[in-house]
Amino acid sequence: MIIKGKKNRYLRSQAATMKPAIQVGRDGISENLLNQLELLINKDEIIKVSLLQNTMVEPQDLIDALNEFDEQIVHVQTIGSKLVFYKKAPKIKNRKYSIELENM
């Protein structure tokens, strides 16, 4: 799934003021990291991930790993070592951004 245009701009603007929810360090991409990312994104819909200096993980590696793990997770933006991801929340009570996206 690819989000373009106004929807992508909206998600980027919402993520601009967020602090990274998870930091990827020297342990790299593990099953535990992917599970934590999935829990957070199912709850918040948008998450920001920071790659620390001591990690050997490249941004594209994390994007590819998340796409393999869950195809519904969409990469929204990468700026330096910060990545933003979006996924529509499975529970209706957690849908905050997806309702706005549907109205666009």
Side-chain angles (χ1 to χ4, degrees):
M1 184 167 115
I2 297 175
I3 297 177
K4 294 183 180 182
K6 288 182 181 181
K7 294 179 180 184
N8 194 349
R9 277 194 306 255
Y10 171 74
L11 292 173
R12 288 190 328 231
S13 70
Q14 296 302 310
T17 58
M18 288 181 166
K19 292 186 179 181
I22 291 189
Q23 297 176 334
V24 180
R26 61 185 160 112
D27 293 339
I29 302 170
S30 64
E31 192 69 29
N32 186 29
L33 174 80
L34 295 175
N35 288 329
Q36 286 180 348
L37 283 169
E38 185 179 39
L39 284 174
L40 286 173
I41 204 164
N42 283 336
K43 182 181 152 219
D44 297 333
E45 289 192 315
I46 298 176
I47 59 168
K48 189 182 267 190
V49 179
S50 175
L51 301 177
L52 299 178
Q53 288 181 341
N54 63 348
T55 188
M56 300 303 280
V57 176
E58 294 293 323
Q60 190 60 46
D61 297 337
L62 183 58
I63 294 167
D64 294 340
L66 275 173
N67 281 338
E68 279 185 33
F69 188 72
D70 187 348
E71 293 177 359
Q72 293 180 343
I73 297 176
V74 178
H75 171 249
V76 176
Q77 180 181 34
T78 300
I79 296 180
S81 63
K82 307 275 191 286
L83 293 96
V84 178
F85 295 98
Y86 166 78
K87 178 183 175 186
K88 185 175 181 177
K91 293 184 179 179
I92 295 173
K93 69 176 185 173
N94 293 336
R95 292 182 186 169
K96 184 164 91 176
Y97 303 109
S98 58
I99 292 172
E100 188 67 32
L101 287 178
E102 289 172 2
N103 293 331
M104 289 184 175

